[in-house]
Amino acid sequence: MLTNVIFLQAEGGGIMSMLPFILMIGVLYFFMIRPQMSKQKKEKQFQSSIKKGAKVITSSGIHGKIVEINDNDNTVSIETGAGKIKFERSAISMELSKKYDPQIKK
């Protein structure tokens, strides 16, 4: 009987000592991982919804207007002051483009 009581106390203490680690993982998930996942989802939706004629900014800071979209290799051609440049769709920045072109809804 005495050994059963000691065993239950030790088991309960083990769970209580793990509680701070579990809470830390939960806080990390809700404040860091989950917002990043939703941001990536919005970015992907934006990149798939861009159309010809839209004014955009690439993640490297190049301003231009989309003149051609190629769905086969997932690229876009952007017309800049220097000519046409071909970029991957993922190189177009959602946040910078929203600041540049107020027609794009937030």
Side-chain angles (χ1 to χ4, degrees):
M1 175 90 174
L2 184 58
T3 56
N4 288 341
V5 173
I6 294 171
F7 180 71
L8 289 175
Q9 287 177 349
E11 189 176 300
I15 293 172
M16 292 304 286
S17 66
M18 294 295 286
L19 190 61
F21 294 113
I22 294 169
L23 289 175
M24 268 196 298
I25 291 171
V27 167
L28 282 173
Y29 176 77
F30 282 107
F31 288 108
M32 295 179 78
I33 298 169
R34 191 166 170 225
Q36 184 66 27
M37 288 171 49
S38 66
K39 182 180 177 183
Q40 286 175 346
K41 185 178 178 183
K42 287 178 185 176
E43 186 89 23
K44 194 173 263 190
Q45 283 177 337
F46 168 76
Q47 290 168 355
S48 65
S49 70
I50 49 178
K51 295 179 175 50
K52 283 175 106 174
K55 294 179 180 179
V56 294
I57 302 175
T58 64
S59 55
S60 59
I62 298 175
H63 296 237
K65 186 167 88 172
I66 296 177
V67 292
E68 182 182 340
I69 298 173
N70 190 347
D71 289 326
N72 295 336
D73 59 355
N74 213 19
T75 59
V76 294
S77 293
I78 297 177
E79 185 177 1
T80 64
K84 290 183 184 177
I85 304 173
K86 192 173 189 178
F87 285 98
E88 293 288 325
R89 262 190 198 204
S90 60
I92 297 174
S93 172
M94 176 180 67
E95 294 169 2
L96 294 174
S97 295
K98 283 182 180 177
K99 291 177 186 175
Y100 182 60
D101 193 5
Q103 294 174 351
I104 299 173
K105 294 182 181 179
K106 291 184 179 179

